[in-house]
Structure formats: C-alpha cells, structure tokens
C-alpha cells in the first residue's frame, strides 16, 4: 500500500467515450499531481494542485480536465481522447515545499482505441 | 530550460557487484536531486535525495554522488541484489512542487 490509491488500474476507452480517473491520498499532503508516462519519455507533469488550487497546467489539451474537490482527492476527466493519449497516468502527492519527494500511486494504464 | 538526461536506457549487473546509474542536468537552478525506483505495474517510489550543497549522501547500500562542476549525478548500489531490478529515474526540484524527471534507466541484476 503506497498511501496514494488510483482507480481504475486499467482502462480501455473509445475515442468518443467519457471516463474519469480517480486518485486518493490520506497522508496529510497538501499538493497533488497528475503525471503522464509514455514509453521512452520522461515523466511529464500535467497538472499541479496545491491547497486545492490548480497552480500549474503544462499546456495539456482540453480533452483532459482535472478536478480537486478537497485535499485528499484528485480526478482526471477524459473525453474525446486520441490513441496517442494511451499511456500510464500517475497521481502523486507531497507536502508542499518539502523537497523530499512525492508519493506516487500505482497508476492507471490507459488505452485509447 | 531545465533538462535531466539519463543516457543509458538499460544496465545489466551481476548480483553482488556495484551498479552505477548516471544522470546529467543542464543547469543548476534547482536545489534538490532525487532518485526514484519503479517496479512494473507500480508507481515510482522515492529512494534517496541529495541537496545541492552536498556532494554525497549515503543510505545503506545506496549512495548518491553529485558533481556540480560536471553537472552530473550518479547512484551507486553496492552490493546489487536481484530485488534491485527496476527502472530508476533521477529528478531535480527546487523543493517546491516542480520536478523535472529523466527518462529512466532499466537496471537488471543477474543472479
């Protein structure tokens, strides 16, 4: 158990579907993140929420829509995705300003068909 | 633009020997360097970090070295164990929320 739980673990969706990824942490952290991991690429930061406010959006297409209703939960809403969006989506949390690392979830393996 | 590069996509080492994983970075803006370890089907887990004011940090079998003049970071694992087989990512951060990750090096420790 990593302390950061992501559901679902695997997701296959069509390009016209709408789905949501969920992330939950009960570590008392105050910052949460979405990362995308594609093959042979660095981990790409997508969104950052600090104290439930979005503080960074790294030029992510609007077909990805994050939501942070409280400090323990983070969602990534997906709609009209493309096959190139297939990747591992990782959620992480941290204590803001700690500099001592994130706690990552196990990820959601997303396949867009 | 800050970049973190891991130029070796894979590394194989015999059990009991030393594993050395390397990382280069392009500028020194950020104050902390970290290593993460990732097993298949799991998220990365924090392994060890080093502040830019130090040149070495040790934790059990893991030692991270920082050479600021060469802008080079390395992780030494000794002795290597089969359970160390994983993908290792280096990362650089200012200590707030922004992290820059490398592409990872897949380590295989042969029994």
């Amino acid at each position: 158990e990593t302390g950061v739980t992501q559901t679902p673990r695997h997701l296959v969706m069509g390009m016209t579907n709408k789905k949501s990824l969920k992330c939950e942490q009960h570590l008392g952290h105050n910052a949460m993140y979405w990362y995308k991991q594609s093959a042979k690429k660095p981990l790409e930061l997508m969104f950052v929420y600090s104290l439930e406010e979005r503080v960074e959006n790294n030029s992510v297409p609007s077909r990805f829509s994050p939501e942070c209703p409280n400090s323990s939960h983070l969602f990534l809403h997906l709609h009209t995705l493309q096959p190139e969006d297939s990747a591992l989506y990782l959620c992480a949390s941290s204590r803001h300003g700690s500099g001592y690392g994130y706690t990552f979830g196990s990820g959601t393996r997303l396949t867009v068909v | 633009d800050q970049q973190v590069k891991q130029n070796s996509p894979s590394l194989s080492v015999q059990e009991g020997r030393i594993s050395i994983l390397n990382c280069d970075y392009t500028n020194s803006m950020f104050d902390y360097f970290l290593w993460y370890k990732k097993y298949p089907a799991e998220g990365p887990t924090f392994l060890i970090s080093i502040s830019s004011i130090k040149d070495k940090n040790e934790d059990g079998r893991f030692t991270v070295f920082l050479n600021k003049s060469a802008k080079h970071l390395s992780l030494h694992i000794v002795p290597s164990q089969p359970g160390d087989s994983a993908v290792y990512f280096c990362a650089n951060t200012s200590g707030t929320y922004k992290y820059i990750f490398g592409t990872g090096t897949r380590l295989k420790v042969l029994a």
Side-chain angles (χ1 to χ4, degrees), chain B residues 3-105:
Chain B
Q3 285 191 357
V4 175
K5 295 182 180 179
Q6 294 177 257
N7 293 316
S8 298
S10 64
L11 174 69
S12 291
V13 172
Q14 207 65 35
E15 181 180 6
R17 306 294 290 268
I18 185 170
S19 295
I20 301 176
L21 297 103
N22 294 304
C23 183
D24 297 299
Y25 59 95
T26 56
N27 71 56
S28 310
M29 275 181 60
F30 293 167
D31 297 328
Y32 295 95
F33 297 86
L34 306 95
W35 284 95
Y36 282 81
K37 176 179 178 180
K38 184 181 183 302
Y39 292 117
E42 294 183 15
T45 54
F46 171 70
L47 187 59
I48 191 169
S49 67
I50 188 167
S51 163
S52 59
I53 62 173
K54 296 185 175 181
D55 54 20
K56 178 183 175 181
N57 188 26
E58 193 171 351
D59 183 3
R61 296 185 297 113
F62 302 92
T63 304
V64 57
F65 294 93
L66 177 61
N67 183 334
K68 289 184 282 293
S69 61
K71 295 185 179 178
H72 181 80
L73 183 73
S74 63
L75 174 68
H76 293 210
I77 306 172
V78 56
S80 301
Q81 299 174 353
D84 296 328
S85 298
V87 177
Y88 290 79
F89 293 95
C90 66
N92 188 212
T93 179
S94 62
T96 57
Y97 57 79
K98 190 168 183 73
Y99 284 63
I100 308 294
F101 284 89
T103 51
T105 297

